[in-house]
Amino acid sequence: GAGVSQSPSNKVTEKGKDVELRCDPISGHTALYWYRQSLGQGLEFLIYFQGNSAPDKSGLPSDRFSAERTGGSVSTLTIQRTQQEDSAVYLCASSPPGRDEQYFGPGTRLTVT
Amino acid sequence: SQQGEEDPQALSIQEGENATMNCSYKTSINNLQWYRQNSGRGLVHLILIRSNEREKHSGRLRVTLDTSKKSSSLLITASRAADTASYFCATDKWGYKLSFGAGTTVTVRA
């Protein structure tokens, strides 16, 4: 079956511009996560959605970052007024109900020039 | 902040040899998971071990967990070129919000 998909795969943007990153989780997965991976680093948790519950936004680094999940499926991560330190690979993952292992998408590589 | 820390940072072995890497963490956990990331690709879940388990096997993978020492090890037996990748341990306290280490880069030489 189809895995987690993310778009775009690469995004180059100028400092100060807004960007939107999209994640399509595996069908039937109720949990969705966003992470950020900077060069040579481990993953940094950003936000977690579970069904209709309020998301856990505790990992968002600043109020320039926001995310939403429409209809319990597709999610969009928005970064406003991008800064160079936002350059990273943004990874999305999803989990099936009642399971803790996470299935990751290929990521979006964001470069802020 | 990173909860898990892998050791060594890098490992180079001959095809057919075993590879062992370790993960230490700081606070109590619910689960510990190992993931693999091939160059330029997404992470693939390898194995999950719960805090009340001590050892788990999956194919050529063996994971141990010692909660008293807050450490875990991942053993890959009879390594293959396709095992060349970065390996990450990830811990969670409540079943989500994984905290990853910086990873161990494994190179398997033909």
Side-chain angles (χ1 to χ4, degrees):
Chain A
V4 176
S5 61
Q6 293 186 244
S7 61
S9 55
N10 278 285
K11 176 74 178 178
V12 180
T13 190
E14 291 179 355
K15 179 182 167 182
K17 295 276 175 70
D18 298 352
V19 295
E20 280 190 357
L21 312 179
R22 177 188 167 109
C23 171
D24 251 294
I26 294 171
S27 177
H29 283 198
T30 51
L32 187 147
Y33 319 78
W34 283 97
Y35 293 87
R36 177 168 72 175
Q37 185 175 28
S38 301
L39 189 63
Q41 301 292 313
L43 276 72
E44 174 190 4
F45 168 82
L46 297 177
I47 189 168
Y48 161 69
F49 295 90
Q50 175 60 270
N52 295 322
S53 303
D56 179 344
K57 304 179 182 181
S58 59
L60 294 178
S62 77
D63 59 8
R64 295 186 295 105
F65 288 72
S66 63
E68 62 178 27
R69 189 179 184 192
T70 52
S73 180
V74 172
S75 176
T76 303
L77 177 69
T78 301
I79 309 172
Q80 295 178 310
R81 305 181 302 283
T82 51
Q83 303 294 310
Q84 286 187 329
E85 60 262 28
D86 299 335
S87 295
V89 176
Y90 289 82
L91 290 159
C92 174
S94 66
S95 294
R99 302 294 298 265
D100 293 332
E101 62 268 25
Q102 298 182 15
Y103 296 80
F104 281 81
T108 293
R109 182 174 298 277
L110 175 66
T111 303
V112 182
T113 61
Chain B
S1 62
Q2 289 176 357
Q3 151 89 309
E5 205 170 288
E6 290 91 346
D7 171 61
Q9 287 186 323
L11 183 59
S12 179
I13 55 173
Q14 201 74 31
E15 205 165 20
E17 292 180 340
N18 296 343
T20 300
M21 60 210 87
N22 303 296
C23 168
S24 58
Y25 56 91
K26 297 179 182 128
T27 62
S28 63
I29 61 170
N30 180 42
N31 300 317
L32 186 143
Q33 303 183 44
W34 285 91
Y35 287 82
R36 181 185 72 219
Q37 186 175 39
N38 293 94
S39 178
R41 302 181 73 174
L43 280 89
V44 172
H45 177 264
L46 295 177
I47 198 164
L48 179 152
I49 186 165
R50 302 201 182 279
S51 59
N52 61 354
E53 297 176 310
R54 291 297 165 258
E55 188 169 315
K56 208 155 180 186
H57 297 254
S58 177
R60 294 184 294 111
L61 306 179
R62 173 179 166 250
V63 168
T64 63
L65 179 64
D66 187 335
T67 52
S68 67
K69 294 181 180 175
K70 292 188 171 60
S71 68
S72 172
S73 68
L74 170 67
L75 167 68
I76 306 171
T77 59
S79 62
R80 305 168 181 168
D83 295 329
T84 294
S86 292
Y87 292 81
F88 296 88
C89 71
T91 58
D92 73 76
K93 269 193 109 156
W94 303 288
Y96 70 96
K97 195 191 251 184
L98 293 180
S99 180
F100 285 79
T104 292
T105 300
V106 175
T107 303
V108 180
R109 307 185 308 272

